[in-house]
């Protein structure tokens, strides 16, 4: 799967990009028709510790899924987003299977 990582107003570490790519590749076992995904990393300027925002947009034929999570670290936010996407993709696959 093609994963585009967009860091808004900061430089992203290669280790984080590798982690995101690895985690997104795992989504293909839930739904193999994923075309591409865009991952947006943002840091909110607040005094709150949970200021890291991750938005993941996944393109599948006929649909786009968007998940947004805010956590203390980007890794945690990516993990939570990926878990949400897993549920969405499984639900989509079940829906398509019932129509056949």
């Amino acid at each position: 799967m093609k994963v585009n990582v967009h860091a808004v107003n900061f430089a992203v570490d290669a280790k984080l990009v590798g982690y995101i790519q690895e985690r997104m590749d795992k989504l293909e076992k839930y739904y193999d028709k994923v075309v591409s995904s865009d991952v947006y990393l943002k840091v909110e300027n607040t005094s709150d510790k949970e200021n890291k925002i991750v938005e993941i947009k996944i393109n599948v034929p006929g649909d786009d899924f968007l998940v947004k999570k805010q956590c203390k670290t980007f890794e945690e936010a990516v993990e939570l987003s990926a878990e949400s996407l897993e549920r969405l993709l499984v639900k989509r696959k079940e829906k398509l299977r019932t129509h056949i």
Side-chain angles (χ1 to χ4, degrees):
M1 170 192 342
K2 185 170 183 349
V3 179
N4 301 317
V5 178
H6 309 277
V8 180
N9 297 332
F10 70 97
V12 67
D13 189 0
K15 265 198 323 200
L16 181 60
V17 172
Y19 174 77
I20 291 169
Q21 178 72 51
E22 189 179 301
R23 191 63 184 94
M24 297 307 288
D25 287 341
K26 289 181 183 175
L27 291 177
E28 288 189 308
K29 72 179 172 190
Y30 296 99
Y31 190 72
D32 57 351
K33 294 178 179 67
V34 177
V35 178
S36 67
S37 59
D38 292 302
V39 180
Y40 297 94
L41 306 172
K42 300 174 186 168
V43 178
E44 208 173 55
N45 291 330
T46 62
S47 58
D48 192 20
K49 282 187 168 50
E50 292 194 359
N51 65 342
K52 313 281 191 304
I53 301 171
V54 172
E55 283 182 37
I56 301 178
K57 181 180 176 188
I58 285 205
N59 303 320
V60 296
D63 240 340
D64 285 350
F65 296 115
L66 181 69
V67 174
K68 182 178 181 180
K69 298 288 179 190
Q70 185 168 347
C71 296
K72 290 180 184 172
T73 65
F74 284 121
E75 288 84 355
E76 184 184 0
V78 167
E79 189 63 37
L80 291 174
S81 299
E83 287 172 7
S84 295
L85 286 167
E86 285 171 9
R87 289 191 294 275
L88 283 170
L89 292 173
V90 167
K91 196 184 282 187
R92 163 108 178 156
K93 194 173 187 178
E94 299 281 318
K95 199 182 217 181
L96 287 176
R97 197 176 287 154
T98 58
H99 290 299
I100 295 174

